[in-house]
């Protein structure tokens, strides 16, 4: 494999990539690095590629790793979206919570008068509370824990996305 790269380097100034589009190559931002003979040589040496069957085996393993990372990031993205939706629904509900609490603390004619004056706010509270309850699926309301978990998931997501990018480069070689 190294001999072939050396022979190609004698004929052309850069490697020619026949693939312009593809699942993995489209995620590579610096495709020019793939055209560099030195990068190709170092890749072959780093992974001790001595034949095309070794290269095919390595590529299969890298594709599997990339696809597992991609699946994990998709699952994590769904969790992040749910946590953000919960946090948003909670904050929307909190905006009307004081009016509902005040209504609950009154009784008799004062309550009727207050409820009539704040009818729109109370109905918005009920709607927002119903939305939040539907999103919770029986879980407890823990906005601080949601934020903390979301932050953790975002950091993990960024790490996996960098790993996926490296895997895509390795697959493209």
């Amino acid at each position: 494999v190294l001999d072939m790269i050396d022979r190609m380097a004698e004929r052309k100034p850069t490697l020619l990539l026949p693939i312009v589009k593809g699942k993995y190559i489209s995620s590579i931002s610096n495709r020019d690095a793939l055209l560099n003979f030195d990068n190709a040589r170092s890749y072959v040496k780093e992974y001790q590629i001595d034949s095309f069957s070794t290269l095919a085996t390595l590529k299969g393993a890298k594709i599997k790793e990339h696809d597992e990372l991609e699946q994990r990031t998709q699952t994590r993205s769904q969790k992040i979206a749910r946590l953000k939706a919960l946090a948003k629904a909670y904050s929307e509900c909190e905006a009307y919570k004081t009016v509902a609490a005040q209504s609950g603390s009154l009784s008799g004619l004062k309550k009727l008068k207050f409820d009539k004056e704040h009818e729109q706010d109370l109905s918005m509270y009920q709607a927002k509370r119903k939305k939040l309850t539907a999103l919770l699926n029986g879980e407890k309301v823990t906005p601080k824990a949601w934020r903390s978990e979301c932050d953790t998931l975002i950091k993990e997501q960024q790490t996996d996305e960098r790993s996926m990018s490296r895997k895509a480069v390795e697959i493209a070689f």
Side-chain angles (χ1 to χ4, degrees):
V1 177
L2 278 174
D3 293 338
M4 188 181 74
I5 292 172
D6 290 336
R7 279 183 269 158
M8 288 173 60
E10 292 170 4
R11 289 187 233 160
K12 304 270 184 184
T14 61
L15 284 168
L16 298 176
L17 290 178
I19 301 171
V20 178
K21 285 184 162 182
K23 179 179 177 181
Y24 304 104
I25 201 163
S26 63
S27 65
I28 300 171
S29 58
N30 184 11
R31 292 187 199 144
D32 290 339
L34 298 175
L35 303 175
N36 187 316
F37 284 107
D38 292 332
N39 290 344
R41 281 186 198 101
S42 66
Y43 179 79
V44 169
K45 288 176 184 176
E46 180 181 348
Y47 291 102
Q48 300 172 350
I49 300 169
D50 56 359
S51 67
F52 286 105
S53 62
T54 307
L55 180 61
T57 304
L58 177 67
K59 184 176 180 180
K62 295 296 180 184
I63 287 173
K64 184 179 177 189
E65 291 172 14
H66 182 278
D67 291 348
E68 287 171 356
L69 283 169
E70 187 174 46
Q71 181 63 37
R72 238 187 353 222
T73 58
Q74 287 174 353
T75 302
R76 198 176 290 120
S77 291
Q78 292 169 349
K79 286 180 183 177
I80 291 169
R82 181 179 179 275
L83 290 171
K84 285 183 176 181
L86 280 170
K88 182 180 179 191
Y90 177 77
S91 68
E92 289 173 350
C93 190
E94 281 294 301
Y96 299 100
K97 195 172 183 178
T98 56
V99 174
Q102 199 171 5
S103 171
S105 69
L106 299 173
S107 61
L109 292 174
K110 287 182 179 182
K111 179 175 175 50
L112 289 174
K113 183 180 176 189
F114 183 85
D115 288 354
K116 187 163 179 87
E117 290 172 358
H118 298 93
E119 184 177 354
Q120 187 176 12
D121 289 341
L122 291 170
S123 65
M124 287 296 288
Y125 174 73
Q126 290 301 323
K128 300 294 183 184
R129 185 172 173 211
K130 187 176 180 179
K131 179 182 172 184
L132 177 61
T133 304
L135 286 171
L136 283 171
N137 296 328
E139 294 176 44
K140 291 185 178 182
V141 178
T142 54
K144 288 180 182 178
W146 298 336
R147 269 185 246 114
S148 174
E149 184 180 357
C150 190
D151 291 343
T152 302
L153 290 171
I154 288 171
K155 287 177 186 173
E156 291 172 1
Q157 187 83 338
Q158 291 169 343
T159 301
D160 279 355
E161 285 172 354
R162 285 190 295 273
S163 295
M164 278 176 45
S165 179
R166 282 192 301 274
K167 297 289 180 215
V169 170
E170 292 171 354
I171 292 167
F173 267 120

